[in-house]
Amino acid sequence: MFGRKKDQSPAPQPLPAHDELTGRSKDPQSAKGVPTPSRKAQEDARKRPLVPNDRAAAKTADREARREQQARMRRALDTGEERFLPIRDKGPQKRYARDYVDARFSLGEFVMFAALGIVVLTVVLPQNSNAAIILFGAFWVMVAFVVIDTWLMGRKLKRQLAAKYGSVDQGVIWYGCMRSLQFRRMRLPKPLVRRGEWPS
């Protein structure tokens, strides 16, 4: 052909790159030619161990955390700190119920001691003696007075809560009644008011 020497060899053509041969791109963002990973492979890549490799250290840390939480709860039962109280004692209405019960004198505080005294006396006194019959009768009269006193207290506590908060949360009255049946020094959380110091 015109202007071309016969002895000149044609210029060598560049070989296709390896990625072009395999049909894959070096661009990590490019999805062409790259098979989509399966869902299982994606989930496995995202998985993290639920527990650390050092299980002994994890158990020790967990035990220390539980011990600290229990210590905070015990302190809250003494001081009445709301944030660390058990769930059964949390809430402003339960706090009001505790203060109301602790401010009054309840017959139910002494039922436990009366029952214990009767158990001891039944060992000493004959079963069919007049003294034993009178003792049992007096005990049941006391139980009846305790029931009446607790019922009256529950009604008044309900009125006080409704006047202060507009409504009464479920279980608060029962919570207060059960507290009134416990001896004052054994109540938890501990009483924070004296007798006669009624909550406002």
Side-chain angles (χ1 to χ4, degrees), residues 68-79:
E68 180 63 24
Q69 183 179 5
Q70 291 172 357
R72 287 197 299 263
M73 187 178 296
R74 283 194 295 269
R75 289 194 296 270
L77 291 174
D78 290 338
T79 62

Side-chain angles (χ1 to χ4, degrees), residues 34-198:
V34 180
T36 303
S38 64
R39 177 176 292 180
K40 185 176 185 305
Q42 295 178 16
E43 291 175 353
D44 291 341
R46 289 194 299 265
K47 280 183 179 178
R48 296 289 184 273
L50 297 178
V51 294
N53 294 330
D54 192 350
R55 294 193 175 185
K59 287 182 179 179
T60 302
D62 187 53
R63 186 165 53 249
E64 290 296 330
R66 287 199 306 269
R67 187 179 293 116
E68 180 63 24
Q69 183 179 5
Q70 291 172 357
R72 287 197 299 263
M73 187 178 296
R74 283 194 295 269
R75 289 194 296 270
L77 291 174
D78 290 338
T79 62
E81 189 176 358
E82 180 75 16
R83 188 171 59 164
F84 298 117
L85 284 175
I87 295 177
R88 65 180 177 85
D89 298 311
K90 284 186 176 181
Q93 293 198 18
K94 288 186 177 179
R95 173 64 180 267
Y96 185 94
R98 288 197 301 272
D99 291 345
Y100 180 83
V101 170
D102 296 336
R104 73 190 299 272
F105 177 85
S106 301
L107 289 175
E109 298 179 44
F110 305 100
V111 170
M112 180 177 65
F113 297 103
L116 181 62
I118 287 178
V119 170
V120 173
L121 290 175
T122 52
V123 178
V124 179
L125 297 175
Q127 292 291 329
N128 297 326
S129 64
N130 293 333
I133 295 173
I134 294 172
L135 186 64
F136 277 109
F139 174 75
W140 286 112
V141 169
M142 181 180 178
V143 169
F145 276 109
V146 167
V147 171
I148 295 171
D149 178 63
T150 306
W151 179 71
L152 293 174
M153 185 213 69
R155 290 189 61 187
K156 189 171 182 180
L157 176 60
K158 187 175 182 178
R159 289 196 302 269
Q160 297 277 8
L161 289 171
K164 183 176 179 63
Y165 297 101
S167 62
V168 181
D169 293 342
Q170 184 177 3
V172 175
I173 305 303
W174 179 257
Y175 175 82
C177 291
M178 290 299 100
R179 186 174 178 85
S180 71
L181 299 178
Q182 300 171 1
F183 187 57
R184 181 181 171 87
R185 292 187 179 180
M186 298 175 65
R187 293 172 182 170
L188 289 175
K190 289 186 177 180
L192 300 178
V193 298
R194 299 179 180 178
R195 294 190 192 273
E197 292 182 357
W198 303 100

